[in-house]
Amino acid sequence: QVRDRLKQQVAEMTQKFPGFRPGLAILQVGNRDDSNLYINMKLKAAAEIGISANHIKLPNTATEADVLKCIASLNADPAVHGFIVQLPLDSDKPINTEKITNAVAPEKDVDGLSSINAGKLSRGDLGDCFIPCTPKGCMELIRQTGVQVAGKRAVVIGRSKIVGAPMHDLLLWNNATVTTCHSKTSTLAEEVGKADILVVAAGRAEMVKGEWIKPGAIVIDCGINHVPDSTKASGKRVVGDVAYTSAKEKASFITPVPGGVGPMTVAMLMQSTVESAQRFLEKFQPGKWTIQYNQLTLKMPVPSDIEISQACMPKPIDQVAKEVGLFPDEVELYGQTKAKVQLSVLNRLKNQPDGKYVVVTGITPTPLGEGKSTTTVGLVQALGAHLHQNVFACVRQPSQGPTFGIKGGAAGGGYCQVVPMEEFNLHLTGDIHAITAANNLVAAAIDARIFHELTQSDQALYNRLVPSVNGVRKFSDIQIRRLQKLGIYKTDPMALTKEEVNSFVRLDIDPGTITWQRVLDTNDRFLRKITIGQSPTEKGFTRTAQFDITVSSEIMAVLALADGLDDMKKRFGRMVVASSKKGQPVTADDLGVTGALAVLMKDAVKPNLMQTLEGTPVFVHAGPFANIAHGNSSVLADKIALKLVGKDGFVVTEAGFGADIGMEKFFNIKCRYSGLRPHVVVLVATVRALKMHGGGPAVTAGVPLPKEYTEENLQLVAKGCSNLNKQIQNARMFGVPVVVAVNAFKTDTKAELALVVQHAKEAGAFDAVECTHWAEGGKGALALARAVQRASQAPSNFRFLYNVELPVVDKIRLIAQQVYGARDIELLPEAQEKVALYTKQGFGNLPICMAKTHLSLSHDPEQKGAPTGFVLPIRDIRASVGAGFLYPLVGTMSTMPGLPTRPCFYDIDLDPVSGGVNGLF
């Protein structure tokens, strides 16, 4: 009956949670015959019920440390819901059995032998512990008799930790009056004669005589003893601790030996395993979060960002991971406040529905920024800590270029920050450093290959590329791929003809076509143009090159758009670094560097977990700029977050700069590759930026704002709303509802804020609300959060702006006219040549990633508002084939920023007392 019931329960579990099965592990040390017999019985029962059972067998030479190491692994394995250590431990080495049983995690100790479970049983916490299987089976047998335990006299013979002692506790907490007898009990027969319920676990053959037993008693015999019997082939038979033949004449119920308690013990092990799996599912049910939020202590005036951040005591990051439903083995801790998340979580949650997808963008900003990151954090704090919705923020990792340059950090600001902000703004977990190393490895490989091809014969190159090791030559996997690309389907290095060797060893790179640059995560204007190869060892091979900032590297873009490690590696292989002198694309795979790039980036591909000031979870992953790249955090972080929040939760991600740049690329590039569809656009606007667009004086970082920005001026605001209107139109063009967040500054007047809200609604926004989250945290974004909730229920008819099969020029023109407001585009000669080249090379059907200024809808940063009638100049086009887009260069964009006269680093230092970071990030 028990097994049939459990089989049904397991079937219901697997139906409700596809791919899930209760997991049981049995750890055995040595090779005892009796242990093997018992284990086989358990494995058979598990298979019959549908439990996934795993038998781990250590040799009898195993040490205590070996056993503990194995137990630690099983404790951490989320697929194991219960496990037992088969006793006795058959080892040649001394092993402390008590230490071993107590090492088993209490929540997986389905044998109920740990001190914690034993302690809970002795205290009567029966619903919060595992009970040893034999006593649990005995109780089930007693219940099957229909006799009420409460008020009965019970006698337990034996006091072992496995049966006697827990049996006493179990009967006691089921309201029996219990007496425990043992080898020192002098009046054993007398005590037995008083028992309404008798449980015997003494380990002595037929020690309890039938005449001792009270008429009508229930007798449970747990003994297994071997006695001589010449009638048996083995010369012995199995008997219990009770003289069965005489006892059954007096007992109302009695268990036989064998065949009574033994099978029930196995059944109870299965039941405990299923119960443990049910607890696991209840605790780790996807989308069911139990999260502890941090209470903010707001101060006026608002302190500096770093003061607020350092006054916060973040939760341990493993606690955050547990709260959002991540398993311990899915999290790699980097200290107390940040962690990497394994991509395996996507496979575990593949059948779970996604939550609501929200993208935060903005109007065309001033050089100071308008608070998109702050709004992103404020929104998730409002949704999570105040409205108690499951919510994740997914943001980009900041580059150290702007952090130490003019912009400062990107953790948000005021009471809406990712914390600790100094960890966020600096090295984090080293992803950007890994990208720098990987990018520069490709750059080194390009120049080294050109050098070696210039200075060696075909045969010399071949001998070095395919060396003889112990007299054997062998192609590597990546070399096999290159041969196949060349149409050479040979695997024996000795079989290639001279012509085939020549094709194989010579990439024949045209130095003038190299598009791959070295990178550095520092603003350094003097690296914008350099000469390399000036050492005499380079034998006169010099060329003009440059450094870009790391976040503009195609490797960063690949990281942001890949949907897994394998996809990332394939994209690396497709990256085009130059053309050959015959006009053929030369890839990273041709250079033989793909595998090495994957190795350098194998940890960087995992999203970084952090938290906000109010304790809501944040993924920080990838950081491409929006003006010179596609400007969005990673697809992987979004996908994992959407699974974790569940169908009613929210994932809020941010697109860089204005809606014309980051949002357009979010839709046309990121969503195209990810397959994800957004539900809501949040468009951030400020009175300050609108005054600038209305004709206000220039806004310059580090310079006090002119009075036009600190005094009420409704006329300037109204005129500047042309930019707001255009960006609302841009968002609605993609079929997604728009909520405008008016980020209020202390210099704004109520009339100005109300005017912006009015204009936004008239321009077609789903809603527009004033936000004060910078000064109030999530509380100040509650109106925004509620508007986003309502908008997420509205119809979202998402669509792309263009079909990628259109000609390259037509796609560029569509973006320029529809998004920027241009009359037309003009391709300069170099750009025209690239269109022809990339179309010929087969890259014409890639999406477009416009590289242009973020300070204007046009190519001219001085043109504010919503300019029209201009012609957009395209001076060049480059290909990021691995990332999967072509990027036209508009105007005079630089891919290596410079430092200002007074960089941010003037204000950054170590605190002389605490040793922590002081300064204005």
Side-chain angles (χ1 to χ4, degrees), residues 447-764:
D447 290 311
R449 188 59 176 261
I450 294 172
F451 172 79
H452 291 308
E453 288 186 23
L454 285 172
T455 57
Q456 297 180 53
S457 67
D458 288 357
Q459 193 58 48
L461 283 167
Y462 193 60
N463 290 343
R464 289 178 170 87
L465 287 169
V466 193
S468 175
V469 180
N470 297 323
V472 177
R473 274 185 162 183
K474 185 179 179 182
F475 291 123
S476 66
D477 291 343
I478 201 166
Q479 289 176 328
I480 292 288
R481 290 203 299 272
R482 168 147 177 80
L483 288 168
Q484 291 172 349
K485 179 179 176 180
L486 294 169
I488 302 170
Y489 297 95
K490 297 178 181 179
T491 56
D492 180 3
M494 304 304 294
L496 267 63
T497 65
K498 285 186 177 181
E499 292 76 14
E500 290 170 339
V501 167
N502 175 268
S503 297
F504 173 72
V505 301
R506 297 212 174 267
L507 301 181
D508 203 22
I509 293 171
D510 179 353
T513 67
I514 295 172
T515 55
W516 195 271
Q517 309 298 343
R518 289 164 172 82
V519 298
L520 187 68
D521 194 37
T522 301
N523 288 2
D524 191 344
R525 65 191 314 125
F526 285 91
L527 293 177
R528 290 172 179 170
K529 191 171 186 180
I530 59 173
T531 302
I532 61 172
Q534 294 191 25
S535 169
T537 56
E538 277 34 84
K539 302 180 180 179
F541 170 59
T542 62
R543 69 179 182 89
T544 300
Q546 69 186 57
F547 270 81
D548 294 340
I549 196 159
T550 297
V551 289
S552 70
S553 168
E554 184 174 354
I555 289 180
M556 174 64 88
V558 167
L559 174 68
L561 291 170
D563 69 1
L565 185 59
D566 288 343
D567 181 51
M568 182 176 72
K569 182 178 174 182
K570 289 174 183 175
R571 287 172 179 267
F572 285 159
R574 295 197 297 266
M575 294 187 306
V576 174
V577 301
S579 294
S580 71
K581 291 172 182 174
K582 293 180 180 178
Q584 295 300 310
V586 178
T587 66
D589 228 33
D590 293 327
L591 288 167
V593 76
T594 305
L597 298 180
V599 169
L600 284 170
M601 294 291 293
K602 68 180 178 64
D603 292 317
V605 76
K606 304 166 193 171
N608 304 294
L609 179 65
M610 294 187 77
Q611 63 191 291
T612 67
L613 282 168
E614 295 192 51
T616 59
V618 180
F619 275 139
V620 185
H621 200 216
F625 279 174
N627 54 349
I628 53 178
H630 73 284
N632 287 271
S633 60
S634 78
V635 166
L636 281 167
D638 290 0
K639 285 189 170 183
I640 294 172
L642 284 163
K643 294 297 183 187
L644 288 171
V645 298
K647 66 182 180 66
D648 297 321
F650 291 83
V651 170
V652 181
T653 190
E654 178 196 344
F657 294 126
D660 57 306
I661 299 184
M663 184 198 71
E664 181 271 316
K665 296 169 184 177
F666 172 82
F667 288 142
N668 282 322
I669 298 176
K670 185 176 182 180
C671 290
R672 197 185 297 269
Y673 282 120
S674 70
L676 300 173
R677 298 295 178 261
H679 294 81
V680 184
V681 170
V682 173
L683 185 72
V684 179
T686 64
V687 168
R688 179 179 69 192
L690 292 173
K691 286 182 175 179
M692 178 191 72
H693 288 296
V699 175
T700 306
V703 177
L705 287 171
K707 64 181 178 60
E708 287 86 349
Y709 295 98
T710 58
E711 298 175 0
E712 184 174 286
N713 192 325
L714 297 178
Q715 185 178 356
L716 270 185
V717 174
K719 188 178 178 184
C721 280
S722 61
N723 187 271
L724 172 64
N725 296 350
K726 175 56 179 167
Q727 298 290 29
I728 291 172
Q729 291 171 20
N730 284 341
R732 294 187 66 201
M733 186 189 308
F734 292 90
V736 184
V738 184
V739 175
V740 173
V742 185
N743 188 16
F745 292 1
K746 62 183 179 181
T747 54
D748 301 338
T749 69
K750 289 198 173 295
E752 289 173 330
L753 294 168
L755 182 61
V756 178
V757 168
Q758 177 189 336
H759 268 277
K761 290 179 178 179
E762 291 172 353

Side-chain angles (χ1 to χ4, degrees), residues 116-126 129-132 165-167 169-170 173:
I116 290 177
N117 279 318
K120 288 183 176 181
L121 174 58
S122 69
R123 294 195 324 178
D125 298 335
L126 304 188
C129 71
F130 285 112
I131 298 164
M167 192 73 233
D169 294 335
L170 201 51
W173 292 111

Side-chain angles (χ1 to χ4, degrees), residues 63-75:
T63 64
E64 186 175 271
D66 294 332
V67 180
L68 290 171
K69 183 178 179 181
C70 187
I71 289 173
S73 175
L74 293 169
N75 281 340

Side-chain angles (χ1 to χ4, degrees), residues 680-853:
V680 184
V681 170
V682 173
L683 185 72
V684 179
T686 64
V687 168
R688 179 179 69 192
L690 292 173
K691 286 182 175 179
M692 178 191 72
H693 288 296
V699 175
T700 306
V703 177
L705 287 171
K707 64 181 178 60
E708 287 86 349
Y709 295 98
T710 58
E711 298 175 0
E712 184 174 286
N713 192 325
L714 297 178
Q715 185 178 356
L716 270 185
V717 174
K719 188 178 178 184
C721 280
S722 61
N723 187 271
L724 172 64
N725 296 350
K726 175 56 179 167
Q727 298 290 29
I728 291 172
Q729 291 171 20
N730 284 341
R732 294 187 66 201
M733 186 189 308
F734 292 90
V736 184
V738 184
V739 175
V740 173
V742 185
N743 188 16
F745 292 1
K746 62 183 179 181
T747 54
D748 301 338
T749 69
K750 289 198 173 295
E752 289 173 330
L753 294 168
L755 182 61
V756 178
V757 168
Q758 177 189 336
H759 268 277
K761 290 179 178 179
E762 291 172 353
F766 177 90
D767 203 352
V769 294
E770 178 187 337
C771 302
T772 55
H773 45 274
W774 178 80
E776 297 182 301
K779 177 185 173 184
L782 273 171
L784 174 61
R786 292 190 177 104
V788 167
Q789 283 183 302
R790 293 193 302 274
S792 72
Q793 303 301 322
S796 177
N797 303 307
F798 175 72
R799 54 188 173 269
F800 298 119
L801 177 63
Y802 54 80
N803 186 323
V804 290
E805 300 301 326
L806 287 173
V808 172
V809 174
D810 289 356
K811 288 181 285 192
I812 297 172
R813 182 177 287 112
L814 270 172
I815 296 171
Q817 293 177 336
Q818 298 295 316
V819 180
Y820 305 156
R823 177 171 56 82
D824 204 351
I825 61 173
E826 178 189 9
L827 268 68
L828 301 185
E830 195 168 355
Q832 293 175 21
E833 291 173 9
K834 293 293 179 63
V835 168
L837 174 66
Y838 294 143
T839 302
K840 178 184 176 183
Q841 291 179 338
F843 306 139
N845 61 349
L846 292 175
I848 300 299
C849 180
M850 302 289 280
K852 82 168 189 72
T853 179

